[in-house]
Amino acid sequence: KHKKIPVLLYYPAEFLPSVVTKKLEPHFSKQAVSYRNKLYSRVMPFYSVDVGDSTFTVLKRYQNLRPIGSGAQGIVCSAYDHVLERNVAIKKLSRPFQNQTHAKRAYRELVLMKCVNHKNIIGLLNVFTPQKTLEEFQDVYLVMELMDANLCQVIQMELDHERLSYLLYQMLCGIKHLHSAGIIHRDLKPSNIVVKSDCTLKILDFGLARTAATGLLMTPYVVTRYYRAPEVILGMGYQANVDIWSVGCIMAEMVRHKILFPGRDYIDQWNKVIEQLGTPSQDFLMKLNQSVRTYVENRPRYAGYSFEKLFPDVLFPADSDHSKLKASQARDLLSKMLVIDASKRISVDEALQHPYINVWYDPTEVEAPPPLITDKQLDEREHAVEEWKELIYKEVLEWEERTKNGVIRGQPASLGAAMMGSQDPSSSSSVNDMSSMSTDPTMASDTDSSLETSAGTLGCCR
């Protein structure tokens, strides 16, 4: 009987009948069990587990997987990373190679996440695939920092001016950092902005690829259109302050506790905008292409409402004696962001200098070095699905090579060392978050309790 024990050590407990395991495990020393597990990890570093309606095949370093969100672009779960010794979010991209649009978006997301490093942009911790060859390659997993909730939960809270302005400041810092690398988001919304209970905020994804942009004359089926700027809705050209419109819509929702422009489709979306803000000037209409202009000109004309009527004082928190922040300042910022004509809308830099925002101004955050985008033709690239697949596979392998050497761009040296692990096979064999997801991708399972740590609201600002 005892002569067979060393042979059985080569097999993980889950491969043995439970009756055999129960009888033999007491005879194994801790060193023997550890040796068996490491040996198993060298041969099979991945394991599969059902998460909601999907099966995740992940590295053994990730345990206790729990679903926290799903959407058109992927499924997200929380997990505990035994190498980094912290909770993380793991996103499994949904069928990334089903068509050119999905494949391009997956490639764009992965490339940008590997390059960007800013405290207000979600950090990429790992990327891997369980498949061993390009021919088998079909699944991509992105591992990110785990936050407490997304902004959808925060919108329901009664925030004072300090928290409201600090959250907006961090959004603008993250957006400015993306813009500094030529990345224009175009799809900011509460579900892809995440927060911790200490009021820190991060932008979760990098928005629309150019091929995914739509307008009035294109399909109205998109994930969330409520925060899209008029120039995106109307199929116009756009500039960097396209993202400022989205921030204005989000700020308005944080003040009103409801969506500002809840259109059923793009046409209804446009109607909601002009009903409240008024029909734009003829100068603006002349910038539209003929077919869109004809439609817009044939709509009823609206005078719109003043911002004092749209956002009366009663909607805002009491004026702050501590930071001198006032409802009048917040309303003025809204009036400068929610401008239909982008040429007259406030810029990111101007917003950061606004009195309601610049109380938090820190040059190290606002003027952080721009990310170095390695692929200069990122948005112009057009490939067949198989070519996108090969490009993504190369990116995954490149990450694996980088983490084997203990070097992770934008991460502290200690984290780079940690990613190597203590030569744990499951970490050394790993190929160490996004597309537009209308989901709660990084919302922890205990979101409510973690956010209620300070009398039912977010914790103190820094």
Side-chain angles (χ1 to χ4, degrees):
K1 179 170 99 174
H2 292 291
K3 288 180 181 178
K4 294 181 180 180
I5 290 177
V7 177
L8 291 172
L9 282 175
Y10 284 90
Y11 297 89
E14 51 264 48
F15 280 4
L16 299 174
S18 59
V19 62
V20 174
T21 304
K22 286 178 181 177
K23 285 183 177 180
L24 296 181
E25 283 286 352
H27 297 288
F28 297 170
S29 67
K30 288 183 179 179
Q31 291 87 346
V33 172
S34 175
Y35 172 76
R36 181 198 64 191
N37 289 341
K38 286 187 176 182
L39 188 67
Y40 174 53
S41 294
R42 289 184 190 277
V43 180
M44 296 186 65
F46 294 90
Y47 75 103
S48 296
V49 59
D50 289 337
V51 179
D53 296 329
S54 179
T55 299
F56 274 55
T57 301
V58 299
L59 293 159
K60 293 187 73 178
R61 62 189 279 185
Y62 302 114
Q63 297 290 329
N64 305 323
L65 275 64
R66 301 172 69 178
I68 52 177
S70 63
Q73 297 297 325
I75 301 166
V76 185
C77 69
S78 63
Y80 183 76
D81 183 346
H82 283 275
V83 174
L84 295 183
E85 298 182 338
R86 60 184 285 188
N87 291 315
V88 297
I90 303 177
K91 176 182 176 182
K92 178 184 181 181
L93 298 185
S94 292
R95 299 189 297 161
F97 311 120
Q98 63 177 305
N99 56 45
Q100 288 175 301
T101 299
H102 275 244
K104 179 173 183 175
R105 189 150 198 170
Y107 176 75
R108 183 177 189 266
E109 177 178 5
L110 180 53
V111 168
L112 292 179
M113 288 202 75
K114 289 171 71 174
C115 298
V116 173
N117 174 39
H118 190 273
K119 64 183 295 185
N120 297 127
I121 307 291
I122 202 73
L124 180 66
L125 302 176
N126 200 359
V127 65
F128 62 86
T129 178
Q131 287 87 43
K132 300 297 183 186
T133 65
L134 176 61
E135 290 69 32
E136 298 175 298
F137 184 43
Q138 59 180 345
D139 297 319
V140 182
Y141 293 86
L142 306 177
V143 184
M144 305 163 283
E145 303 167 90
L146 181 69
M147 302 289 277
D148 291 324
N150 65 33
L151 217 59
C152 297
Q153 286 75 47
V154 177
I155 281 168
Q156 305 307 317
M157 298 178 178
E158 296 291 341
L159 301 177
D160 56 26
H161 281 295
E162 283 83 0
R163 288 173 176 81
L164 177 58
S165 67
Y166 185 50
L167 291 171
L168 292 167
Y169 164 73
Q170 293 178 90
M171 278 184 235
L172 293 167
C173 284
I175 292 167
K176 179 175 171 61
H177 187 67
L178 295 178
H179 289 183
S180 70
I183 305 166
I184 301 176
H185 197 290
R186 287 171 290 163
D187 198 29
L188 286 166
K189 52 195 172 188
S191 63
N192 58 30
I193 298 172
V194 288
V195 295
K196 275 192 171 290
S197 56
D198 64 359
C199 212
T200 57
L201 174 147
K202 295 176 187 284
I203 295 172
L204 189 65
D205 71 32
F206 297 99
L208 294 169
R210 289 180 185 172
T211 53
T214 56
L216 279 174
L217 303 181
M218 300 177 71
T219 173
Y221 182 76
V222 291
V223 177
T224 305
R225 68 192 67 81
Y226 308 143
Y227 312 91
R228 301 268 174 91
E231 54 267 40
V232 176
I233 295 174
L234 299 174
M236 304 170 66
Y238 55 86
Q239 51 194 11
N241 68 354
V242 66
D243 292 331
I244 290 294
W245 174 274
S246 303
V247 176
C249 292
I250 293 168
M251 180 181 178
E253 193 168 338
M254 294 169 79
V255 171
R256 282 185 167 189
H257 306 298
K258 62 181 181 180
I259 296 166
L260 182 60
F261 305 122
R264 296 184 302 274
D265 51 47
Y266 266 161
I267 291 175
D268 189 45
Q269 185 73 28
W270 174 249
N271 292 338
K272 291 288 194 298
V273 170
I274 61 175
E275 284 168 13
Q276 296 188 63
L277 301 184
T279 302
S281 68
Q282 191 63 31
D283 287 345
F284 175 80
L285 298 181
M286 293 306 293
K287 299 175 185 177
L288 304 175
N289 73 48
Q290 184 59 55
S291 55
V292 175
R293 182 165 74 245
T294 299
Y295 169 80
V296 172
E297 288 178 333
N298 286 332
R299 298 300 303 157
R301 295 191 68 83
Y302 296 94
Y305 300 95
S306 69
F307 274 79
E308 285 74 16
K309 284 192 175 181
L310 288 173
F311 303 99
D313 284 350
V314 68
L315 293 178
F316 293 94
D319 289 353
S320 168
D321 293 329
H322 170 65
S323 58
K324 309 300 182 188
L325 294 172
K326 299 175 178 165
S328 58
Q329 295 172 334
R331 186 165 45 239
D332 181 71
L333 179 59
L334 277 167
S335 72
K336 289 178 165 62
M337 292 195 292
L338 294 173
V339 177
I340 293 175
D341 189 341
S343 67
K344 300 174 181 177
R345 191 183 305 148
I346 196 172
S347 69
V348 175
D349 288 325
E350 290 167 338
L352 281 162
Q353 294 294 346
H354 191 277
Y356 195 69
I357 300 296
N358 73 356
V359 292
W360 306 106
Y361 197 97
D362 180 343
T364 62
E365 298 166 346
V366 176
E367 301 161 22
L372 299 175
I373 307 303
T374 53
D375 188 341
K376 302 302 182 184
Q377 284 77 45
L378 186 57
D379 273 330
E380 285 71 28
R381 279 182 175 273
E382 295 299 337
H383 296 289
V385 171
E386 286 303 312
E387 293 171 320
W388 283 121
K389 182 177 179 180
E390 184 173 357
L391 285 169
I392 294 170
Y393 190 63
K394 286 180 179 178
E395 289 293 329
V396 174
L397 294 182
E398 191 272 338
W399 181 279
E400 177 185 29
E401 192 62 34
R402 190 194 310 177
T403 54
K404 278 181 179 177
N405 296 328
V407 178
I408 301 177
R409 187 190 306 275
Q411 300 289 1
S414 58
L415 180 56
M419 294 300 290
M420 291 181 69
S422 54
Q423 296 308 308
D424 184 306
S426 66
S427 65
S428 63
S429 63
S430 71
V431 228
N432 279 18
D433 100 47
M434 202 161 286
S435 2
S436 176
M437 289 181 62
S438 181
T439 180
D440 303 339
T442 56
M443 180 178 133
S445 57
D446 59 347
T447 292
D448 291 338
S449 60
S450 62
L451 288 174
E452 301 288 336
T453 55
S454 180
T457 186
L458 288 169
C460 294
C461 300
R462 59 185 178 191

